[in-house]
Amino acid sequence: MIPLSLGEIAAVVGGTVEGDGAVTVTAPAVLDGRQAEPGGLFVAFAGEHVDGHDYAGQAGRAGAVAVLGSRPTPLPTVVVEDAQAALQALAARVVARLRDGLTVVGLTGSQGKTSTKDLLAAVLSSGAPTVATIGSLNNELGVPLTMLRTDAATRFLVLEMGARRIGDIAELTGLVAPDIAVVLNVGQAHLGEFGSRGAIAKAKGELVLGQAPGGTAVLNADDPRVVAMRALTDGPVLTFGRAEHADVRVLDLALDRLGRPTFTLRTADGSAPVALPLVGAHQALNASAAAAAGLAAGVPLDVTAAALATTALSKWRLELRGLAGGATLLNDSFNANPDSTRAALDALAAIEAGRRIAVLGEMLELGDDSEAEHRAIGVYAARTADLIVAVGKAAAPIAESAGERAVALADNDAAVDLLRRTLAAGDVVLVKASREARLDEVAAALA
């Protein structure tokens, strides 16, 4: 973060300073006092059950020098009526001051956002200082927190942008208009809240509508709803995917015995071989999106290919790890929707294994289609896994439709007990569910 005194911050956000207004913030803002860095800013929210202001002392002990909140604290504090609005205003001002030397990339999609963001961050950081979203902090709080990590040395800012309703992404592009807008796909994530895939497409299209004048849209050539977003911009468009007409095209895709893809990326100007250290054929499409965005940012294709080969993903995204006894864990427990679950099952099927075991929990926010979608996943899993373990009441339809090779269990403890008793050398076990199902606990117990 660029250095700002509390007096300067108060002027930006329309707040008042309680304490020493000369105190200068030099490190990023955080919402969790335990994560504060020396010179940092702690943003306090008064929630229904927890009041962040009570943790100002904790933040101070970790290194924070000031607080942004709605009431005074033991630390010097900028007091505002609305901490969220103040955080966003501060982030917008900081990035505006850096804008001349900064290229901003916004990225959205129903699935693959975080993996593609990680791939793109590897590509861009190979050539210049880059700040990118940590994990999946892609909402009205996560985006401004990421923006506030920029400083005078930053040349690329990669912002993953999520949406749960129409207008969410428009709000985020209102903070900073991306120079490059990447739309991955229009799938079924949050279908229960949006109501239709048409509404999801409208929400994702807000990223293209909100890009900076003359900005480049990077669109999935394999998704008709995304390709149609070309009509939303008068600026340049680059497409990616396996389609023949894609500007950055995936060719010669193959998987090794651990399901890791090798392929060629081809453009009008040349081609480059790529070997990803990631699991799943779908990662090749994510890589082509990152390559297209890299080209839009001026990164040559050969440099991109080399950077992609070094990418490490955020946690709990198809993490492959060996277990005691010779089994292998494929941990994809961060989140799930029908499309990402099918991709994870495909990744499981691509790995050489004695038995393939799929531990699947509830996929949330599917609305009236929830039971049907869970049943469809059961049918799909039965084609790719030797044993399907459905965890939790809402996931039971997975087991019902998967047939005799499936079992429905009540909770995570039951799943851990079963796996500990039955896992053998050579088995590969996939763990996948929406975040609220907490199947990461199953993965952690096995590891």
Side-chain angles (χ1 to χ4, degrees):
M1 180 169 167
I2 61 175
L4 291 171
S5 71
L6 285 201
E8 291 175 306
I9 292 173
V12 169
V13 303
T16 59
V17 178
E18 294 287 339
D20 185 358
V23 167
T24 298
V25 174
T26 58
V30 297
L31 304 183
D32 185 336
R34 295 167 296 183
Q35 298 173 352
E37 300 177 21
L41 178 68
F42 175 53
V43 184
F45 288 88
E48 182 179 350
H49 302 293
V50 177
D51 188 342
H53 299 81
D54 295 337
Y55 294 87
Q58 178 191 64
R61 290 189 293 274
V65 295
V67 173
L68 175 64
S70 56
R71 63 176 173 83
T73 74
L75 292 179
T77 304
V78 175
V79 179
V80 294
E81 290 187 7
D82 185 334
Q84 176 178 307
L87 173 67
Q88 293 177 341
L90 180 61
R93 179 64 63 87
V94 166
V95 170
R97 286 178 55 171
L98 300 171
R99 204 65 169 94
D100 287 346
L102 187 65
T103 296
V104 180
V105 184
L107 186 150
T108 194
S110 293
Q111 57 270 340
K113 292 188 294 297
T114 300
S115 295
T116 306
K117 176 265 302 178
D118 292 337
L119 289 160
L120 180 55
V123 169
L124 297 178
S125 63
S126 67
T130 299
V131 169
T133 302
I134 295 174
S136 294
L137 296 175
N138 59 24
N139 62 7
E140 66 278 3
L141 298 177
V143 168
L145 289 173
T146 303
M147 294 168 65
L148 288 173
R149 289 171 41 224
T150 57
D151 58 27
T154 307
R155 292 295 171 262
F156 295 109
L157 172 60
V158 181
L159 296 170
E160 179 181 330
M161 295 185 176
R164 292 180 178 273
R165 60 190 63 82
I166 290 173
D168 281 355
I169 291 177
E171 177 183 334
L172 298 177
T173 59
L175 303 180
V176 56
D179 302 293
I180 302 168
V182 184
V183 184
L184 298 176
N185 42 56
V186 174
Q188 295 170 283
H190 310 306
L191 183 61
E193 296 191 8
F194 281 105
S196 70
R197 292 182 78 164
I200 295 173
K202 183 177 180 180
K204 303 303 182 186
E206 291 172 359
L207 182 61
V208 179
L209 287 170
Q211 66 185 352
T216 300
V218 177
L219 306 177
N220 185 350
D222 300 340
D223 189 325
R225 289 183 175 87
V226 176
V227 172
M229 295 177 193
R230 183 189 294 267
L232 301 179
T233 179
D234 294 328
V237 173
L238 280 175
T239 59
F240 62 89
R242 302 189 72 173
E244 186 174 353
H245 61 274
D247 296 312
V248 179
R249 188 181 180 195
V250 176
L251 296 171
D252 306 323
L253 176 61
L255 302 175
D256 69 8
R257 66 180 187 84
L258 294 178
R260 298 172 299 195
T262 58
F263 52 95
T264 298
L265 288 177
R266 179 174 295 173
T267 71
D269 298 321
S271 62
V274 179
L276 291 181
L278 315 175
V279 178
H282 64 288
Q283 298 291 7
L285 183 66
N286 293 338
S288 69
L295 287 174
V299 181
L301 189 62
D302 60 337
V303 174
T304 289
L308 291 172
T310 67
T311 302
L313 296 185
S314 299
K315 68 176 183 178
W316 304 341
R317 276 91 171 175
L318 289 174
E319 292 179 352
L320 196 65
R321 107 169 24 177
L323 301 176
T328 300
L329 171 66
L330 187 60
N331 183 359
D332 199 34
S333 60
F334 186 82
N335 214 341
N337 60 60
D339 294 320
S340 69
T341 301
R342 290 186 182 91
L345 287 165
D346 289 342
L348 174 65
I351 298 173
E352 292 183 9
R355 287 189 309 164
R356 297 179 179 89
I357 302 169
V359 181
L360 305 175
E362 182 180 7
M363 302 175 292
L364 293 170
E365 299 174 348
L366 295 175
D368 294 339
D369 295 330
S370 180
E371 182 174 347
E373 291 293 348
H374 283 86
R375 289 187 178 279
I377 286 297
V379 173
Y380 197 89
R383 302 190 196 115
T384 56
D386 301 296
L387 172 64
I388 299 100
V389 181
V391 183
K393 182 178 179 180
I398 294 175
E400 293 170 4
S401 62
E404 61 184 14
R405 64 179 64 187
V407 59
L409 299 178
D411 54 32
N412 290 352
D413 289 341
V416 171
D417 179 64
L418 172 68
L419 293 167
R420 283 177 171 168
R421 287 187 287 106
T422 61
L423 277 179
D427 290 349
V428 178
V429 55
L430 165 70
V431 179
K432 178 74 171 174
S434 284
R435 185 73 194 94
E436 289 81 351
R438 303 188 66 84
L439 286 197
D440 59 285
E441 296 173 351
V442 174
L446 296 177

